[in-house]
Amino acid sequence: MPPTKRTEILITGSGSAGLTAATYLAQQGIVYTLLEQRDGPLTMGQADGVQCRTVEIFESFGLGEEVLREGFHVVEVGFWGDRSSTSTSAGEGDGNGAGIGSGAGSGGIRRTGRTADTQPGLSHQPHVILNQARMNGLLIGRMRGFGGREIEYGCRVTGVEVDYADGGEYPVKVVVKRRGMVERWEARYLLACDGAHSTVRKALGYRMIGDTSDAVWGVMDMVPRTNFLDIRKKTTIRSKAGNLLIIPREGESRSLTRFYIELPGGTSAKDVTLQDLQNTAKDIFGQYEIEFVETVWWSAYAIGQRHADFFHKDYRVFLAGDACHTHSPKAGQGMNVSLQDGYNFGWKLAAVLKGLARPSLLETYVLERQKVAIDLINFDRYFARLFSSKREASAEEFQEGFVKAGKYTAGLTAKYDASPITMDTGVAGELSANVVVGMRLPSAQAVRFCDSKPVQLATVLKSDGRWRVMAFVGDVGVAENRVKMAALGDYLGSRESPLQKFRLKDSDPDSLIEPILVGYGRRHEVELEEIPESFYPITGKNQIRDLHKIFFDDESYNKGHGHLYEHLGISPNKGAIVIVRPDQYVSAVFGLDDYRRVGEFFEGFMIPQKAELLTGRL
């Protein structure tokens, strides 16, 4: 029998969840093993909607420019309904008075409204369309850039158990079939990202709970030849012949388009043909002509919403992505939520394996992502009902529901419950009205102090495993604020500071917890020497002061004023301390003079390092 192989973390499945977790682990220098059942990388995925939050995550990995350059930007949504309907939102019709076929006759369709795809202020990043295969490719490239291990293809998991009989150091026992040969693995942890038919989930005896409706939809990627007016916009059509959702696709030809098509009641997904999809689409388009020049891919599916009854086994085996939640594809959530499962898990496991955080930190993965999965299923049911022809909503009601769902489809509604890393101190509403503990930190423009460059605050929050203590010190022209800023700076630079207490040997003072100062008002009236040195510590190979951690909410030279304090709901007279996690979610908010609670917060889950081993100066 071949010797048993051993690894710290075994990841099964190289989809969105597995690759994102592996990328974060690689960035943190954690050695992992990533097994994939397929014989090679994904060449053409079916997922394509990349929500704003996912673009933010790619930006934090240094991949934002590629996604923005290659993706189709979804800017506007068009709403179309029956031609016989006279209901059109004020100012939202065709823009030419009577409109296309407005009111006269029946059997056709007309535009009933328009709206922004992403409502202003939700995110500095757009909603884009980019094929999952390309998204995966970007992650694989970044994973390699971080020195991560290659994916091992042709490996199918056939058995999993958690067994502490040999001491428990590597309790996860996995049987793998690699191109006909059986291998045995031992791991400290296993992350199962092996899809809706997960063999890991089945091996653990876990079930998917939920239901499947009798609604059947078809989907096809094709090149249309049509005189329909909004073919290059995200568009919904609700007509007597059925419902259809248009998603323009990326690509230099600017012609590839995806249709989601509601099929008649009583349809069986397995009996659907391409001709059925094309005929139904033609009926829905009414008076507009459409030909299908080329069809790249098509499928049909019954809408189902399910999630796993358990998301972990002894907090050693964890489920992620489609292995623990499945739903319909119309809302564009699958790839995004799966990716964010892996993102949530990656930084936490890295902190545990590096000895920075207690293993109990991993319990928050289940607490947080199981709730997200259940919320996803509930949203998907709502979204499916919204689109259903059985639900006779008016054009206004449908558009209103679609707009209200926009924050969810942008990926910005996840709110994590209380835990050791999510602490609602009760002052957030008073000190930072728009900063919600447990949610991702909103972003707006600030001006970097050292070089006057205007930047989005979110771009400061790189996916590098670091926490941030963000000191919104308010208007430093106010004497009281200056006193509070100085006291906070002294604390962060002291030996009792969490920046000192929890960092690893020979690491920089900001290697685990990065101090960031955000002032308010005229930056040119403040000199660097007036700001505590703990906000520009000595770091790096050359041991020089890092001046890139200080920002002001001020007018920039060429990009106006970001009004960051107003966007976050922070008073320039009071200020606030905001603790931000390595995944850009808000952990806690404190008053400026309550700075000692920052240390108490980190003591709740981090492991103190021996003081005599620490080097580096603030």
Side-chain angles (χ1 to χ4, degrees), residues 407-428:
K407 190 171 183 179
Y408 189 96
T409 55
L412 303 174
T413 59
K415 185 177 186 298
Y416 297 147
D417 289 341
S419 73
I421 59 171
T422 304
M423 178 192 297
D424 189 348
T425 59
V427 299

Side-chain angles (χ1 to χ4, degrees), residues 228-246:
F228 180 68
L229 303 181
D230 288 347
I231 195 65
R232 292 306 290 173
K233 294 178 182 177
K234 179 180 175 181
T235 302
T236 69
I237 305 176
R238 301 169 70 240
S239 76
K240 291 184 174 66
N243 297 335
L244 187 147
L245 174 64
I246 300 172

Side-chain angles (χ1 to χ4, degrees), residues 18 24 32 42 48 122 129 171 199 212 219 226 267 275 389 404 409 444 446 536 567:
Y24 218 139
Y32 57 83
L42 185 68
D48 60 358
L122 280 182
I129 306 297
T199 55
T212 300
V219 55
T226 180
T267 300
Q275 192 65 49
S389 59
K404 283 182 177 178
T409 55
Y536 48 106
H567 186 66

Side-chain angles (χ1 to χ4, degrees), residues 150-188:
E150 291 294 316
I151 302 166
E152 299 184 30
Y153 293 103
C155 300
R156 182 169 63 90
V157 173
T158 60
V160 177
E161 64 175 344
V162 179
D163 183 1
Y164 295 94
D166 58 357
E169 191 175 358
Y170 291 84
V172 183
K173 317 298 181 183
V174 183
V175 180
V176 175
K177 198 167 187 178
R178 185 194 299 261
R179 297 184 172 87
M181 302 295 291
V182 174
E183 298 178 350
R184 298 185 183 278
W185 286 81
E186 293 180 346
R188 292 186 190 273

